[in-house]
Structures are given as structure tokens and as C-alpha cells.
Amino acid sequence: STDRTVRIWRVDKGDCIALITEHTYPIRDLVFHPEKAQIISGSDDTTIKVWDINKKQLQRVLTGHKEHVTCLAIHPNGGLLASGSDDKTLKLWDLNRGICQGTFESSASSLAFSPSGNRLAIGHWNGQVQIWDMATNNIHHFEGHSKAITSVVFGHDTSSLVGESKEDILQNIILQSTVEKEVEMNIEKFIEFERDNMEAIWVFEQKAIDRGEEELQKMTAERQAKHERQVEEWNRKEQIRKLLK
């Protein structure tokens, strides 16, 4: 609530069984852990806090955002948390270790993982919706709303997504979604990476023949730096894929 508290209610009796008051500014979003008795809150105080429902105690504080935490989404396996912030970043958190796994530029106003966990829907303040295919790292863009996306939710079969905007319009987005398609796209992505890498090496060797030793050393250093960046990017993606399993 904007009163800076989290209240846990017993649904069958309608009474409040816990009052959490650790946040110092209004709370923007809450998610339940799918497997543990935990609730996770994001607040204008820039923090994300993990609570033990049974013990009614704070378990962990995730820090890293520089502005209000606006939205949260937890992966179906419970190991990965996505958070959006007014600092225009989207962060992925390893909940088991309590560390940030990656930071990306994004003005997210709402988030949702697909039931399979392979996709992350990102609603934006400008009315745009993005679908991040985390298996292939492809991002698909959808437009139609003119105001901020306040909520996004996937259908149970992952083939559709509903986005809600401040203009009070529900928009249904039909998505192509089969396991075979995702595997095929992932293989094609890897083959494309390898092919581009081999072509770059061939071009590099041809240029090296035509240039002197000093220029060759410079080209070698640039090529090595580019290769290291590629390896680092693939390692980061592999870490995220492991969290999705």
C-alpha cells in the first residue's frame, strides 16, 4: 500500500494475520513465491524485500535499483525474479543467492513470465508491449495502446497475452508458441553466431595479409577483445538459461 505496509489476510475468515512495516516508502508491487511460503515486495524506497510468511520475518533485501521499483515478476520455478524501475532498468535476480544476474535498459511499467517461463512480457510507460523470448534472446514488439501498460498476463497455454492500459482497453496479443519452434530458433541463432564468427575470421586474415606488422598487431588486439565480449555475452545468457530450468 501507499501507507508503506504489507498486510497478509486470511481469505476464508477475512482477518489480517500479519502486518509488515519495513519499507520506508509506498509499495508498488507484490508477488508470491510459487513454491515457498514467501512474498516479495517492491517499493519506492528502491529496495526489493523477501518475506517469510509463516515466521512473519524479513529474509532478504535486494538492492541495486536507483529509483522506485515499479513492477515485479517471478519465474514459475521460483529461482528468478524480474524487476522494473523508474531508473529505466530491468534487473534479473537469482533468488537462491540473492544477487543480480543481469541489468538491461527498459522503462518497464509491468512484467509477467509465461507459464513455461521461456518468455517475459514487458509493458512500458509509452504503451508498448515487448515479449522477450529468453531461450533465443529475441525481443518482439507490439503496439496499439497509447498510454502506460498497467498490467500484462499470459494465457495458460502461453499462446496469448493480455495487456491492460490506463486508457481502460484490454488488448489480446496472439503469440506463436511451440516447443519445436523455440528449439529451432535457438539452433538457428547458434548457427548464425558461428557462421558470422567464421566469416569475420576469414575477413580478418585477408586484411592481415595486406597490412604491415604494426597494423596486424592492432587488428589482432581488436579481434581478441571482440571475441572476449562475445564469449562473455554467451556465458551470461547461459547463466540465465540455467536459472530458467
Side-chain angles (χ1 to χ4, degrees), residues 1-5 24-28 44:
S1 169
T2 54
D3 65 8
R4 298 170 292 177
T5 68
T24 56
Y25 282 86
I27 297 160
R28 295 283 194 101
D44 283 358

Side-chain angles (χ1 to χ4, degrees), residues 73-75 77-82 92-95 113 134 243-244:
I74 192 167
H75 191 273
N77 70 11
L80 186 69
L81 179 76
L92 295 179
W93 305 86
D94 182 340
L95 286 178
F113 277 102
M134 305 186 77
L243 288 172
L244 298 178

